[in-house]
Amino acid sequence: MLLEAKNVSKTFRSGRGTETVHAVRDATLRARPGDFVAIVGESGSGKSTLARILLDLIPPSSGGVELDGVPISAMTKKERVQYRRHVQAVLQDPAGSLNPRKRVEQTVGEVIRLHRIATTRVQVREKVREALHLVGLNPAEEFLDRFPHELSGGQRQRVLIARAVALNPQIIVADEAVSALDASVKAGVLRVMADLKDRLGVGYVFITHDLPVVRKVADYVYVMRSGEIVEEGAKEAIFADPSHPYTQTLLAAAPVLHRARSDRSLDSTAREV
Ligand SMILES: Nc1ncnc2c1ncn2[C@@H]1O[C@H](COP(=O)(O)OP(=O)(O)OP(=O)(O)O)[C@@H](O)[C@H]1O
Ligand SMILES: [Mg+2]
């Protein structure tokens, strides 16, 4: 399976429609199941806009997104529903991705019902349990009846991942999904994501400004600036030898972490929930 953004541009009119913002310009990107693709770039560079286009939440102004060569715009209603199942979102929690009035079982269960993964109450509950187990919320019984405010930040993020993974997606688009979390909690959530990649073959389009995280988990990196993808390449190549001046500046500006230390801090604390 191949997810492609082809020459995608997005223009917004802001203010009273007098100003034009070129949020994304001619961006081309590819992602496959099992790939950890990262998009990095400064604030306002168009990362979230590109993510929303990939998620079929907003249409591009020009260009398009294709799944296995089929443009979203040419999909039948049924194909589009399938698309939205295959390409799932995990967004940042503080933005309120979880409904505060819904318990974990309801939050995860309703998407399972919506996509008819299971229908009876017993089957749905079983699927919810499986999903919670996959993201390390064990025992599931302990979490099913909780409201978001009864969970830690890391646990809430895991519920969001469980909700996505319950649909058996091919690719998860994660927009700053771990950025708000403490280092140790972040490491645990990243471990869960890497584990889903290994066990289920899930691919990621992982958006972040956190370069140590990219260094740890990404396979391939796209660098955005002012709406454009200015550089792309295998992670090793990008970190070892950034070719675009902007990427050089970005890497130079990142907090310098001793390599061994940052790796250890991600690994040793990964058991935290
Ligand atoms: N709905 C909108 N209407 C008008 N302008 C918008 C809209 N959404 C985004 N923009 C503008 O498009 C540009 C790109 O925004 P976007 O949110 O994609 O950036 P980002 O890279 O995700 O930034 P951050 O790292 O801060 O999340 C910004 O200039 C933003 O103000
Ligand atoms: Mg953003």
Side-chain angles (χ1 to χ4, degrees):
M1 203 205 82
L2 175 64
L3 176 66
E4 280 180 294
K6 281 190 172 169
N7 307 104
V8 164
S9 296
K10 182 70 184 181
T11 310
F12 291 112
R13 294 213 172 278
S14 65
R16 295 204 181 98
T18 47
E19 251 179 85
T20 305
V21 182
H22 296 281
V24 177
R25 307 170 197 243
D26 202 23
T28 294
L29 167 150
R30 295 168 153 234
R32 293 176 192 278
D35 272 1
F36 215 120
V37 169
I39 304 178
V40 300
E42 66 195 355
S43 183
S45 56
K47 305 182 298 296
S48 295
T49 304
L50 185 53
R52 285 158 70 206
I53 292 169
L54 284 170
L55 289 165
D56 194 25
L57 297 175
I58 54 170
S61 307
S62 65
V65 174
E66 300 183 2
L67 189 67
D68 290 331
V70 182
I72 291 180
S73 57
M75 286 178 188
T76 62
K77 209 173 162 194
K78 206 172 149 196
E79 286 171 330
R80 204 146 171 178
V81 171
Q82 281 297 314
Y83 178 90
R84 289 180 170 196
R85 179 176 158 188
H86 289 318
V87 183
Q88 281 293 308
V90 174
L91 307 176
Q92 201 173 330
D93 170 54
S97 304
L98 286 173
N99 186 329
R101 283 185 289 270
K102 287 185 181 166
R103 298 177 198 273
V104 169
E105 180 172 10
Q106 203 184 347
T107 291
V108 180
E110 68 188 8
V111 296
I112 290 172
R113 244 182 237 108
L114 190 72
H115 284 270
R116 301 212 167 83
I117 311 276
T119 43
T120 70
R121 254 192 80 203
V122 176
Q123 286 171 336
V124 170
R125 180 166 264 228
E126 192 47 39
K127 288 281 171 197
V128 173
R129 264 206 207 95
E130 270 173 37
L132 294 181
H133 181 69
L134 277 169
V135 300
L137 290 174
N138 291 314
E141 282 65 32
E142 212 178 281
F143 298 96
L144 287 170
D145 291 333
R146 293 206 204 176
F147 289 103
H149 75 266
E150 296 170 323
L151 300 166
S152 72
Q155 289 167 342
R156 278 199 293 271
Q157 207 61 45
R158 284 170 196 245
V159 170
L160 289 177
I161 298 171
R163 185 172 67 179
V165 98
L167 300 182
N168 212 355
Q170 310 276 333
I171 290 176
I172 291 178
V173 178
D175 189 357
E176 304 286 10
V178 298
S179 304
L181 304 174
D182 282 357
S184 66
V185 181
K186 185 189 294 188
V189 175
L190 286 172
R191 171 64 68 89
V192 161
M193 294 176 85
D195 185 51
L196 294 173
K197 181 181 121 161
D198 296 341
R199 282 163 70 176
L200 308 177
V202 176
Y204 293 95
V205 176
F206 189 87
I207 293 166
T208 184
H209 56 262
D210 194 336
L211 291 172
V213 166
V214 173
R215 175 165 232 156
K216 179 70 186 167
V217 298
D219 300 313
Y220 198 86
V221 180
Y222 290 90
V223 182
M224 283 190 85
R225 189 191 192 187
S226 307
E228 272 181 273
I229 291 173
V230 292
E231 182 164 6
E232 64 174 279
K235 173 192 60 184
E236 292 77 14
I238 295 271
F239 276 89
D241 185 21
S243 54
H244 194 278
Y246 171 68
T247 311
Q248 292 165 2
T249 323
L250 190 71
L251 293 180
V256 183
L257 285 177
H258 189 269
R259 187 69 205 280
R261 214 187 87 210
S262 64
D263 283 355
R264 192 152 8 100
S265 75
L266 283 177
D267 290 338
S268 63
T269 50
R271 244 159 281 116
E272 180 280 344
V273 172

